[in-house]
Amino acid sequence: MSAFSDVELLQDFLTEAGDLLEDVDSKLVELEQSPEDAELLATVFRGFHTIKGGAGFLEATHLVELCHKTENLFDKLRARTLTLNAEMMDAILAATGEVHRMFGEMRSGHQPSAAPGELLDALDAAIEGRAVVLEQASTNTATAPQAAPVTPEPTHPPVASSVCAEDDLDWAGLYEAVVGQPPRELTQAALSTAMATEAISKQAEAAVRPKVAPKAKGASPAAAAANKENTIRVDTARFDQILNLSGEIGLTKNRLNCLFQAISTSKPSEEMIKSLDVVVGQLDMLVSDLQAAVMKARMQPVGRVFQKYSRLARDVARQLGKDVELVLEGAETEVDKSILEELNDPLVHLVRNAVDHGIETLADRTACGKNPKGIVNLSARQTGDHIVIEIQDDGRGMKPEVIREKAVEKGLISAEEAGQLSVQDSLQLIFLPGFSTKDQISDISGRGVGMDVVKTNIQRLNGRIEIESNPGEGSRITILLPLTLAILPVLMLKLEEQIYSLPLSCVREIIPIEEDKVQRVGGKPTMVVRGEVLPLLDLASLIGRPTSPGPKVGVLAISGNRACILAVDTLVGQDEVMIKPLDGVKPKGVAGATLSGEGLLVLVLELRELLEGQI
């Protein structure tokens, strides 16, 4: 394990090999559709060969063994001595899942443990041209791709707890009692006292090993997120632009220093004032260009995330006995890295739901006269200063009346509320916590948490989500997100002398608050704006400040499908700020902080949290 002492070398390997493995996953799904494609076979072969080489340098023996067997299999496929079939592909995909698991162990600083014997036997059988026997569960290691690979739970031959060693000790039962799960590789022959003790010790250590290395005493908060990718690939041309702008800003700074010295030592002339005005204008332009260049350097193509979902859709479809193809469009569309990382979980749920809930079974599609192969389209495009992501399927669609009935049945809304909902409002019910159209819980769906997670994560990114559905034709879910979260357009407002800001994406309009137009509904103040009754909330009360008397200004704000009018003392204006998190503290309703033009601290409010329990 000496190579692991070079943390930088290990990180470089995991970054490069992780990208290679993601590419291999996507190419394998394409290969299943075109098993004779020589270029795809060669690409996958090279991927495993490269990973094996790096693993060998790091002395990761078990990873080398697994990659070597898979490489041998693809060598025979390339030579046309073997023909790829579905069972062989299951074993190959299970192998990539194990490689993901091994990367996770290496990321935690441990040498990876061996792949399941069943999988290695299946690969040997495939190489020798024998029938491949591998349970379907073993191929599902990638049904939830994540930014940082997690340890999957491969299927292994069951070990009866009644099997005892020659000294009558039930080692399998002891292992299961201590660890909480059956042993993985303890066979009848291995259950002697010495061998069983060693095997149980190794597996118990692996089972209780934390997925993320524990944080050392005194470690910085950043160390707790060590499992999160903290590297970014940037085109050198973008760095050259940043370097050039930095040099020009340095020259402008020197010119400002000269002007400052001239003005401070003598009475400023009209020519000096004009020169100062020109230089300040140049500096403002250069800083804006530098800011834009840095934002572009943070932009990454969404294809880095999208390519994971071909494998996800394939595995879920195969598990459900469906034929589904995931079509990717706009993979070159760029979005800020911070948003890209947060997109993974919502898209996992949406793609999985499209395959599970949206696409019908083969029999149902044939009966409806549809193509037996279902199509799920995942696309991205940039519209203005927003990115639009759409997930569309040609499945059964959603029936508003069925959704309303399920929501009432689960006690999420009353029958009276259901009767007043429009078609669009009915579709929005799928985002309620606990909602599911499935009567039985499976390992794919039925718990009613997926779409709730999607909406929560999208709102956290200052985005919104929309649904369209036509029964019998399919559904389309549209996600609109800002291109970046680093620079945030905000509305500056005042409560007494303190300045606060709201993200401009939450603000619909500014309205005057007149006492004669404030009405009380259920004892709470409301206002009618173009026929819509909206609650009137005092922002000072929401954030725990004393309410000041005097005239107020109303900010009509929207969070998700909730709208309200926030009463504030005065408005300062619109600005673009760089938001900074508050290290070590997260007050409710505060997203972060920034500085005003005067150098004053300004808190950036998070409307979603402020309105919880209020409307």
Side-chain angles (χ1 to χ4, degrees):
M1 208 164 118
S2 57
F4 274 36
S5 60
D6 191 335
V7 178
E8 185 175 348
L9 179 64
L10 176 61
Q11 184 60 43
D12 287 345
F13 167 76
L14 291 173
T15 300
E16 294 290 339
D19 289 344
L20 270 175
L21 191 58
E22 288 176 4
D23 186 55
V24 164
D25 268 336
S26 62
K27 290 293 188 292
L28 285 174
V29 178
E30 295 178 34
L31 186 62
E32 193 168 31
Q33 304 297 323
S34 307
E36 301 297 324
D37 192 316
E39 183 59 32
L40 286 175
L41 288 168
T43 300
V44 175
F45 172 84
R46 287 194 298 267
F48 279 108
H49 181 75
T50 305
I51 293 173
K52 184 185 78 169
F57 186 78
L58 293 171
E59 302 176 11
T61 309
H62 295 304
L63 178 55
V64 170
E65 178 188 14
L66 180 60
C67 288
H68 183 67
K69 287 182 182 292
T70 314
E71 181 187 13
N72 287 344
L73 175 56
F74 272 92
D75 195 31
K76 292 201 170 188
L77 289 172
R78 288 194 309 164
R80 309 297 182 187
T81 57
L82 290 175
T83 301
L84 186 66
N85 56 38
E87 291 73 21
M88 197 180 294
M89 180 59 76
D90 285 342
I92 294 168
L93 290 173
T96 64
E98 276 298 301
V99 176
H100 274 296
R101 191 265 305 168
M102 291 180 180
F103 283 177
E105 292 185 354
M106 294 173 73
R107 191 170 284 107
S108 299
H110 301 280
Q111 284 285 10
S113 55
E118 180 193 23
L119 173 57
L120 298 177
D121 292 342
L123 290 173
D124 285 335
I127 293 170
E128 296 167 8
R130 294 184 282 111
V132 177
V133 179
L134 187 67
E135 292 187 23
Q136 178 64 27
S138 296
T139 69
N140 293 333
T141 53
T143 54
Q146 299 183 10
V150 297
T151 305
E153 296 180 3
T155 302
H156 306 279
V159 181
S161 60
S162 58
V163 177
C164 299
E166 56 195 36
D167 55 357
D168 293 331
L169 285 177
D170 185 358
W171 291 102
L174 174 62
Y175 175 89
E176 186 168 2
V178 173
V179 176
Q181 61 183 25
R184 297 194 297 183
E185 302 165 349
L186 297 184
T187 60
Q188 176 73 33
L191 285 175
S192 66
T193 303
M195 293 177 66
T197 303
E198 181 181 1
I200 288 178
S201 299
K202 286 183 178 179
Q203 294 187 33
E205 179 185 358
V208 300
R209 181 183 299 154
K211 293 180 180 178
V212 180
K215 189 168 82 170
K217 292 183 179 179
S220 64
N227 62 325
K228 198 170 185 178
E229 185 180 358
N230 55 4
T231 59
I232 186 171
R233 291 187 175 185
V234 182
D235 190 336
T236 54
R238 293 184 174 179
F239 270 127
D240 290 341
Q241 183 185 11
I242 292 173
L243 182 61
N244 291 335
L245 288 169
S246 300
E248 292 184 32
I249 289 175
L251 295 174
T252 307
K253 182 200 71 171
N254 294 338
R255 177 61 177 151
L256 275 176
N257 288 336
C258 291
L259 285 171
F260 173 75
Q261 291 175 3
I263 291 173
S264 61
T265 57
S266 62
K267 184 178 180 180
S269 63
E270 185 177 348
E271 185 179 349
M272 286 183 182
I273 299 300
K274 287 182 180 179
S275 297
L276 180 62
D277 183 58
V278 170
V279 173
V280 170
Q282 289 176 345
L283 183 62
D284 181 63
M285 181 183 66
L286 288 171
V287 169
S288 298
D289 289 346
L290 180 61
Q291 194 176 67
V294 172
M295 289 302 102
K296 285 183 180 179
R298 289 174 54 89
M299 304 293 273
Q300 299 286 290
V302 295
R304 290 190 58 195
V305 171
F306 279 12
Q307 68 179 1
K308 303 176 183 179
Y309 303 127
S310 296
R311 166 77 184 271
L312 167 65
R314 181 264 180 200
D315 284 352
V316 174
R318 184 160 172 78
Q319 185 175 352
L320 297 173
K322 299 179 180 181
D323 186 5
V324 180
E325 179 182 357
L326 180 67
V327 179
L328 304 178
E329 296 179 3
E332 70 283 353
T333 305
E334 292 188 327
V335 67
D336 190 278
K337 178 180 181 290
S338 60
I339 293 180
L340 196 64
E341 291 172 347
E342 299 298 330
L343 271 178
N344 184 68
D345 283 348
L347 291 182
V348 164
H349 289 295
L350 291 175
V351 172
R352 189 161 48 196
N353 276 8
V355 177
D356 183 17
H357 296 276
I359 302 297
E360 308 95 330
T361 62
L362 293 175
D364 289 343
R365 290 184 68 86
T366 303
C368 295
K370 291 184 176 182
N371 188 326
K373 174 179 287 188
I375 301 295
V376 176
N377 191 286
L378 176 60
S379 64
R381 67 180 186 273
Q382 183 177 340
T383 303
D385 59 349
H386 280 73
I387 181 174
V388 179
I389 297 176
E390 290 184 346
I391 299 93
Q392 185 173 5
D393 65 74
D394 64 348
R396 60 172 60 91
M398 291 182 275
K399 298 179 179 179
E401 61 274 14
V402 173
I403 293 176
R404 288 194 294 266
E405 290 173 5
K406 281 289 183 181
V408 173
E409 177 186 321
K410 293 180 176 293
L412 301 176
I413 60 172
S414 65
E416 292 76 16
E417 291 173 323
Q420 300 174 1
L421 295 177
S422 64
V423 172
Q424 188 58 39
D425 290 337
S426 298
L427 295 177
Q428 290 288 331
L429 292 175
I430 68 173
F431 295 114
L432 291 177
F435 180 87
S436 176
T437 55
K438 290 290 186 74
D439 295 320
Q440 299 293 327
I441 295 176
S442 69
D443 58 348
I444 297 178
S445 61
R447 298 186 183 276
V449 296
M451 297 304 285
D452 175 37
V453 169
V454 169
K455 187 170 185 179
T456 300
N457 287 6
I458 295 303
Q459 287 180 343
R460 189 183 298 121
L461 295 172
N462 295 327
R464 69 178 191 271
I465 186 166
E466 301 171 353
I467 305 177
E468 298 176 35
S469 186
N470 295 313
E473 298 180 12
S475 304
R476 178 169 60 192
I477 295 180
T478 304
I479 298 172
L480 294 95
L481 294 166
L483 285 176
T484 179
L485 294 180
I487 302 297
L488 188 68
V490 296
L491 176 68
M492 297 283 193
L493 46 90
K494 265 189 178 183
L495 296 178
E496 294 183 335
E497 296 303 317
Q498 178 65 47
I499 301 177
Y500 296 89
S501 64
L502 272 176
L504 208 57
S505 59
C506 302
V507 179
R508 194 165 82 184
E509 61 181 300
I510 307 299
I511 58 176
I513 297 178
E514 301 174 6
E515 289 296 331
D516 58 338
K517 292 185 179 180
V518 178
Q519 305 175 14
R520 295 206 166 257
V521 177
K524 297 183 178 180
T526 62
M527 288 182 65
V528 179
V529 180
R530 285 185 289 280
E532 186 179 5
V533 180
L534 300 174
L536 177 61
L537 305 174
D538 194 313
L539 182 59
S541 300
L542 292 180
I543 61 178
R545 288 180 61 98
T547 302
S548 59
K552 302 279 186 179
V553 179
V555 178
L556 203 166
I558 300 176
S559 175
N561 58 353
R562 297 179 294 180
C564 68
I565 300 172
L566 297 176
V568 302
D569 292 345
T570 55
L571 298 178
V572 177
Q574 180 182 338
D575 200 356
E576 288 190 347
V577 301
M578 181 168 286
I579 184 172
K580 295 291 185 182
L582 301 175
D583 291 338
V585 61
K586 176 60 174 74
K588 181 179 179 181
V590 176
T594 187
L595 292 177
S596 68
E598 295 81 17
L600 301 175
L601 179 68
V602 177
L603 294 180
V604 181
L605 302 178
E606 189 168 358
L607 190 61
R608 179 178 56 87
E609 289 188 358
L610 286 176
L611 298 184
E612 284 183 1
Q614 301 295 326
I615 57 175

